Amino acid sequence: MIHEENEKIKKETKELEKKLKFRGKLSWDLLEEREREEVFRFAEGYKNFLDRAKAEREAVQEIVKAAKEAGFQEATQRSGGKKVFLVNKDKSVALAILGQAPLVEGVRIIVSHIDSPRIDLKQNPLYEEADLALLHTHYYGGIKKYQWVTIPLSLHGFVVKSDGSTLNIQMGENPDDPVFVINDLLPHLSGKTQDQKKLAEAIEGEKLTVLAGSLPFPDLEAKERIKLRVMELLHQKYGLVEEDFTSAELELVPAMKARDVGFDRSLVGSYGQDDRASAYTSFQAILSLEDPPRTSIAFFVDKEEIGSEGSTGAKSLFLESVIRTLIGRCSLTVSEALLKEILANSKALSADVQAALDPNYPEVHEKQNAGKVGYGVCLEKFTGARGKVASSDARAEYVGEIRRIFNAHNVAWQMTEIGKVDEGGGGTVAKYLAIYGMDIIDCGVPMLSMHSPFEITSKADIFEAYKAYRAFFSSP
Ligand code: MN
Ligand code: MN
């Protein structure tokens, strides 16, 4: 009798726990066998995109190419169909599908960024030292410099020559291409110069110079023979002269390809997943839409990693031009008042990756509010540091709305913050769109080793991000 009574109490407690407690669910557990296959298949397309779109211009090209194949047309106010795209200076792009509701009621925007931390060449980079050709660099975005030495790097870039003609350069991605490298000191000699210093100071920015050659120009009388030989090769192959570097954008990124990680192949390792994880999934989400309830925009911006400045970053007013074009597409009269009204009535997700709990460094997180690999897409109300400073802090009504959408569409999601209080912080583009009065919240996949040359995500989380973005676009 006592035994039965105990069993009953246990059962009731379990039911009460299930009803009342908030627990994240491992997304893998929510998947049926067929869905699991879909998760792995989706990851193949994702890895392919990562390999083909390592630089922001390449990402724009890939997105535009696939959008055209899916029936999107380049838009002006007078031309284009229901599915359109607009490109901003080859570095930022917006895809839009006109929805059922009138434009004035607002649009749904998912914004992600297509720039990633990297090593940029300086504008006058090439020099010779110790009979080696070297390139001066200036890193782009927040990198831990020690992670970028002694790994194969590929060169991606764009040059405007003196006559105005342009040239795309990509070297180091094909297996038989040469690669580049930043050298590091051997441990036998690094004791005083590096090992005793703080990690952040052990490798100085000016020492991130890239090895670029060692063959001498044959004429023994020539000065800087190694440099001259490199210039001769660049001239033969691309028609370049040294002054052309001044109007070039040459970026060094890890030469590695995206790979499956782990015995079970459940994870993706690759450069540039911050933030192409969000770019690819929101891009696939908009491609999957037919006749959405509201006009949907997948917006891909540049320059996030250096503060969203510049004419192609989120602080530029390109989004306003996109909306103006859409107003024209709907045969409405373009006015500032209408533009502002549409933007204020809009809703957005700032699709960016979140720091995942690293089992080696649990001390930087407060576990209950940390993003966890495999638990689905991370919602993040605020980023910032020292008391949420500089974050947009989405209001409860909007968080509630997004939560209802995700739950209704069976999306695995988790509520997260970046690190424990006063540990550090970050920033995203959310606040630059919030200016218009639109609701916006950060929403992206959890990631290990963020900003490193080989960032890690879970294939399940990538798929959940796709589901989450599709659900957002599909909601009235
Ligand atoms: Mn990011
Ligand atoms: Mn970042």
Side-chain angles (χ1 to χ4, degrees), residues 113 115 117 274-275 304-305 352-353 427 450-451 455:
H113 66 93
D115 63 319
D274 174 7
D275 187 30
E304 193 276 342
E305 297 293 358
D352 208 344
V353 295
M450 194 192 293
H451 282 205
E455 300 171 319

Side-chain angles (χ1 to χ4, degrees), residues 431-475:
K431 56 184 176 182
Y432 308 119
L433 273 72
I435 288 170
Y436 294 110
M438 74 177 73
D439 278 313
I440 185 162
I441 185 168
D442 283 295
C443 176
V445 300
M447 168 176 287
L448 293 166
S449 296
M450 194 192 293
H451 282 205
S452 79
F454 199 66
E455 300 171 319
I456 306 296
T457 57
S458 156
K459 290 181 180 177
D461 295 333
I462 295 291
F463 193 69
E464 292 301 326
Y466 164 66
K467 272 169 60 186
Y469 300 150
R470 197 177 52 186
F472 176 75
F473 279 141
S474 309
S475 298

